[in-house]
Amino acid sequence: MDEVKFYVGLDVHKDSIAIAFARAHLRDDPQFVGTTRYSVISLTKALSKLGKPAELSVCHEAGPCGYGLVRALREQGYRCEVVAPSRVARRPADRIKTDRRDALLLARLHRAGELVPVAIPEPADEAIRDLVRAREDAVNDQRRMRQRLKSFLLRHGHAYTGTRWGPKHELFLSKIKFEEPAQHIVFTEYRMAVRFATELVERLTQSLRAHAETWRWLPVVKGLMTLRSIDIISALTIVAELGDLRRFPHPREFMGYLGLVPSEHSSGNSKQRGRLTRTGNRHVRRILVEAAWNYRLPARIGESLQPRLEGQPRHIIDIAWKAQVRLCHRFRRLRSRGLHQNKTCAAIARELCGFIWDIGTRLQPA
């Protein structure tokens, strides 16, 4: 393998790419090459003037343009990494931000080894993740549509006190009448929007279940489903968002990645801890915090959990049961100390990360 001679930083936008490079084994300032249009052909033509693909190490920040550029460069033999924008060190005194300065900064930090690369998923894994996020967006839209309908009915004295969105609630809605035709139109449109949003959620859920049956990470998904409050949608979300959990050498790093550890500002003898950092993947963090609430009940294997345990290895079931016993006991203990329920759920979610990491690192993709 050829030795790297240039470290290249790219500031990527949907229409343009700014290019800068820093010479290896030297401490001189990086140099700006120029700006080209967003095209793999134009970019490789500019990079070819610096050297062979094996002599260049390229990086750019993760952004809305996805992973198409890094995959194309890797296919042509370039060393290319996508780095986390939140981990790029910027001086507080820098008040001028341009594409040129960003590219020069990336080139300098890349040469110094101070950039943190992100895990690039395989195309099939990214497709499942897109489907998971599409379903989550549809659920959020459904929630907003329902809230609009409930608010409209509440303003006009048609509040419902029972369980909503079931057969009885639909019968209640079908009997509502308004004196003004305009209000009846609004009511009908809101009901149709709720129905369409519900149908979209059902279609995406069915598609997600169907595609999961042939996914290579299905053994890990089924392993995580042995945990209490982790159903197939939650397990698919965790695996699709995080990928291979073996990239985390220790569960503490996994907890920190999800932002479930407290922030800290310490200096000398003064130690001060604050709220959760809430960094990293917010989709998985939401799933874990919601799952933590189910551990307020006593440990048991219910009707919904029993089928998920069938066919799983004994050591995976033992981990899941150990997690349930420990987390249920810890939830009650924290609440008995007077800790707020939100802080209790955050603490349980943090410990749940450790058991998820343990199961995820023991199982292999198909």
Side-chain angles (χ1 to χ4, degrees):
M1 181 180 293
D2 296 338
E3 185 179 2
V4 175
K5 296 182 179 180
F6 298 99
Y7 290 91
V8 182
L10 306 177
D11 189 55
V12 180
H13 297 274
K14 65 176 182 178
D15 298 323
S16 63
I17 302 177
I19 309 171
F21 71 91
R23 301 181 188 274
H25 309 298
L26 296 177
R27 301 184 63 180
D28 58 343
D29 293 334
Q31 300 181 27
F32 184 69
V33 176
T35 302
T36 181
R37 63 188 181 91
Y38 186 89
S39 170
V40 177
I41 297 177
S42 301
L43 177 60
T44 54
K45 183 178 180 180
L47 294 178
S48 64
K49 299 178 181 179
L50 298 177
K52 300 178 181 179
E55 299 175 346
L56 305 180
S57 181
V58 186
C59 74
H60 70 83
E61 292 180 328
C65 295
Y67 304 107
L69 183 63
V70 63
R71 289 171 180 155
L73 290 177
R74 286 182 175 181
E75 288 179 357
Q76 300 191 24
Y78 289 93
R79 299 186 182 94
C80 189
E81 297 288 346
V82 179
V83 301
S86 60
R87 305 295 293 273
V88 177
R90 303 181 186 275
R91 288 175 288 189
D94 290 342
R95 300 301 177 91
I96 301 177
K97 183 182 183 302
T98 62
D99 295 349
R100 175 191 178 102
R101 291 196 174 200
D102 288 344
L104 291 170
L105 176 63
L106 288 176
R108 182 171 65 251
L109 295 179
H110 189 32
R111 179 178 61 183
E114 297 182 359
L115 297 176
V116 180
V118 301
I120 300 176
E122 296 293 332
D125 299 341
E126 187 179 12
I128 296 295
R129 189 183 68 177
D130 291 338
L131 190 55
V132 168
R133 292 185 178 182
R135 182 191 176 276
E136 184 176 348
D137 293 338
V139 171
N140 293 332
D141 292 339
Q142 179 193 47
R143 186 182 300 110
R144 284 192 289 267
M145 295 300 104
R146 287 177 172 179
Q147 182 60 38
R148 290 174 184 174
L149 178 58
K150 290 191 298 182
S151 300
F152 175 76
L153 294 178
L154 181 60
R155 290 197 306 267
H156 297 282
H158 296 286
Y160 186 75
T161 57
T163 302
R164 296 184 177 89
W165 317 117
K168 293 183 178 180
H169 187 221
E170 291 295 330
L171 180 62
F172 169 78
L173 295 177
S174 64
K175 297 180 179 180
I176 295 178
K177 296 182 180 180
F178 294 91
E179 297 181 358
E180 298 295 333
Q183 292 178 339
H184 195 73
I185 291 176
V186 173
F187 172 63
T188 304
E189 292 291 345
Y190 279 161
R191 285 194 66 189
M192 293 176 60
V194 170
R195 188 185 68 181
F196 294 153
T198 303
E199 292 174 353
L200 178 59
V201 172
E202 294 175 355
R203 290 197 305 270
L204 290 174
T205 302
Q206 294 176 359
S207 299
L208 186 58
R209 291 176 180 270
H211 284 82
E213 293 298 325
T214 58
W215 193 28
R216 67 188 182 106
W217 289 103
L218 183 61
V220 181
V221 172
K222 290 186 176 180
L224 294 182
M225 290 172 60
T226 60
L227 292 168
R228 183 175 185 170
S229 72
I230 302 295
D231 60 0
I232 185 171
I233 299 299
S234 300
L236 283 170
T237 302
I238 294 172
V239 179
E241 293 290 344
L242 300 178
D244 193 351
L245 296 181
R246 292 173 295 180
R247 62 192 176 98
F248 299 100
H250 195 274
R252 281 195 297 266
E253 296 190 10
F254 182 40
M255 299 172 189
Y257 173 79
L258 294 178
L260 289 172
V261 296
S263 58
E264 183 174 354
H265 183 78
S266 301
S267 179
N269 296 327
S270 174
K271 293 184 179 181
Q272 182 178 1
R273 292 185 177 181
R275 58 187 298 179
L276 297 180
T277 58
R278 294 194 293 184
T279 59
N281 195 292
R282 61 182 177 85
H283 305 279
V284 178
R285 184 168 60 252
R286 176 186 61 82
I287 290 291
L288 296 183
V289 172
E290 291 179 356
W293 180 248
N294 291 274
Y295 289 94
R296 71 190 187 279
L297 304 174
R300 60 184 296 268
I301 298 179
E303 297 180 359
S304 61
L305 182 58
Q306 179 62 43
R308 306 204 299 263
L309 301 178
E310 298 177 359
Q312 294 301 313
R314 176 63 183 272
H315 65 280
I316 298 298
I317 298 178
D318 291 341
I319 294 174
W321 177 244
K322 179 181 178 181
Q324 186 172 171
V325 173
R326 173 179 173 80
L327 297 181
C328 291
H329 173 72
R330 183 160 176 77
F331 194 103
R332 294 193 301 270
R333 184 179 178 184
L334 293 177
R335 289 294 292 152
S336 64
R337 289 166 46 187
L339 190 66
H340 192 275
Q341 61 182 10
N342 292 348
K343 293 184 178 181
T344 302
C345 286
I348 298 301
R350 181 166 55 250
E351 291 201 24
L352 181 59
C353 286
F355 293 101
I356 291 176
W357 178 87
D358 194 9
I359 293 177
T361 53
R362 292 173 182 264
L363 298 175
Q364 305 294 329

